[in-house]
Amino acid sequence: MNYADLLAPIHQFLHCRTPQAWIEEARKPENLPLLLTDHMVCELKAAQTATWLIRKYVADKPSGEAILAWLKPYEAFVHREDHDSGFIEAHKNLSRRIITRNDIPWGDELLDKMILLIKEELHHFYQVWEIMQARGIAYQKITASRYAKGLLREVITHEPETLVDKLICGAYIEARSCERFASLAPWLDEELAKFYVSLLRSEARHYQDYLSLAARIAPFDIAGRVRQIGEAEARLIQEPDNELRFHSGVPAWRMM
């Protein structure tokens, strides 16, 4: 299938493409365990972000606690020293009615989009874990990249700008993930390439959902904030990075 039409708005939205130096490093077979591990953790982080948005802005307290419980088995897996697969059973039961506060006009839309995102990201977590299991790649803790923290430094710290900026950051993270899946897939083995291509459509929709929510919620034109955060995102992607991660910048050791 030709994904050019799907990727065109992603490429237009992002301020830069993934540098070739990152692709050349990421495609090396010896770096596959690291990339898959970071990819799996990033899926959980995406679900955590959506959960935070629901709990802070739209859900009542019991619903917020219930949705938080969805993530606990996955969080236990990535943080424990003795890793178990308890999240597998939880993965089969991601279901509960979430009650929103009635005074928020955009509450139902945010809830619906974020619930779908959480379920999809946790499913992707499970899929990456399955691939790692099949290839004999044991999960090991790794440090986080500077990417997400770098983006969040751009967030204004008063409402409604905080929420709007966080949604725009979410749009860039999802758009970059989509672009990286597409950039890396041609260099991977057939199984992994097929898996990464299968993720493109959901990641592209996640970026659009975040951006449309930001535009609806903001009582101002978001174009300036989109541009400013996008410029910061591009700097993070183009600047040297000391560690290879799924959203890292140019490998510094290749520049020496």
Side-chain angles (χ1 to χ4, degrees):
M1 184 179 295
N2 187 347
Y3 283 89
D5 291 343
L6 184 149
L7 290 168
I10 295 284
H11 293 152
Q12 185 175 9
F13 178 64
L14 296 171
H15 288 240
C16 72
R17 299 283 188 97
T18 289
Q20 187 62 31
W22 183 89
I23 296 173
E24 290 174 1
E25 198 67 27
R27 62 182 281 199
K28 292 180 179 179
E30 62 266 30
N31 287 326
L32 182 61
L34 175 64
L35 264 293
L36 286 173
T37 299
D38 195 47
H39 177 184
M40 185 172 69
V41 174
C42 284
E43 299 290 0
L44 175 58
K45 289 178 180 177
Q48 288 172 323
T49 296
T51 298
W52 181 86
L53 289 168
I54 292 172
R55 294 183 71 232
K56 180 169 178 61
Y57 293 103
V58 299
D60 65 3
K61 187 173 181 180
S63 297
E65 293 302 313
I67 196 170
L68 192 64
W70 282 6
L71 303 186
K72 287 183 178 178
Y74 300 85
E75 292 170 335
F77 177 85
V78 301
H79 294 306
R80 283 180 188 161
E81 293 296 337
D82 55 331
H83 307 296
D84 63 55
S85 53
F87 68 90
I88 295 175
E89 195 59 36
H91 183 73
K92 301 174 184 177
N93 297 290
L94 293 180
S95 177
R96 189 193 190 283
R97 181 169 177 266
I98 306 299
I99 300 174
T100 60
R101 305 167 196 166
N102 295 324
D103 57 341
I104 304 174
W106 39 262
D108 287 342
E109 182 181 354
L110 186 146
L111 177 67
D112 291 344
K113 288 178 175 177
M114 292 301 103
I115 288 290
L116 178 59
L117 185 148
I118 291 166
K119 290 183 176 182
E120 289 180 337
E121 303 291 21
L122 294 180
H123 181 59
H124 298 163
F125 179 104
Y126 178 78
Q127 288 178 298
V128 178
W129 177 81
E130 280 192 315
I131 290 170
M132 292 173 65
Q133 289 287 103
R135 294 175 181 234
I137 300 173
Y139 172 76
Q140 294 182 330
K141 291 182 183 179
I142 60 173
T143 57
S145 74
R146 63 190 176 94
Y147 178 79
K149 287 183 179 179
L151 270 185
L152 291 175
R153 281 198 291 268
E154 301 297 317
V155 173
I156 295 173
T157 57
H158 54 78
E159 299 291 1
E161 285 85 349
T162 298
L163 173 56
V164 172
D165 280 2
K166 283 184 176 289
L167 291 169
I168 294 170
C169 286
Y172 274 107
I173 293 170
E174 297 292 335
R176 179 60 64 187
S177 297
C178 185
E179 188 263 353
R180 289 235 151 146
F181 290 142
S183 298
L184 193 53
W187 306 101
L188 300 175
D189 62 71
E190 185 177 356
E191 180 195 28
L192 270 179
K194 183 178 180 181
F195 172 57
Y196 274 13
V197 167
S198 76
L199 300 178
L200 297 182
R201 195 169 299 282
S202 61
E203 299 300 306
R205 177 168 37 76
H206 295 168
Y207 125 77
Q208 292 168 339
D209 284 349
Y210 270 122
L211 201 60
S212 66
L213 280 168
R216 177 177 180 186
I217 292 167
F220 52 85
D221 184 351
I222 67 172
R225 294 302 298 153
V226 170
R227 181 178 62 256
Q228 185 172 344
I229 293 172
E231 290 170 352
E233 196 273 346
R235 287 194 298 271
L236 290 165
I237 291 300
Q238 293 176 313
E239 289 175 351
D241 227 321
N242 291 323
E243 295 181 309
L244 179 67
R245 297 291 185 269
F246 205 86
H247 293 93
S248 57
V250 178
W253 56 95
R254 294 184 64 93
M255 303 176 67
M256 296 177 180

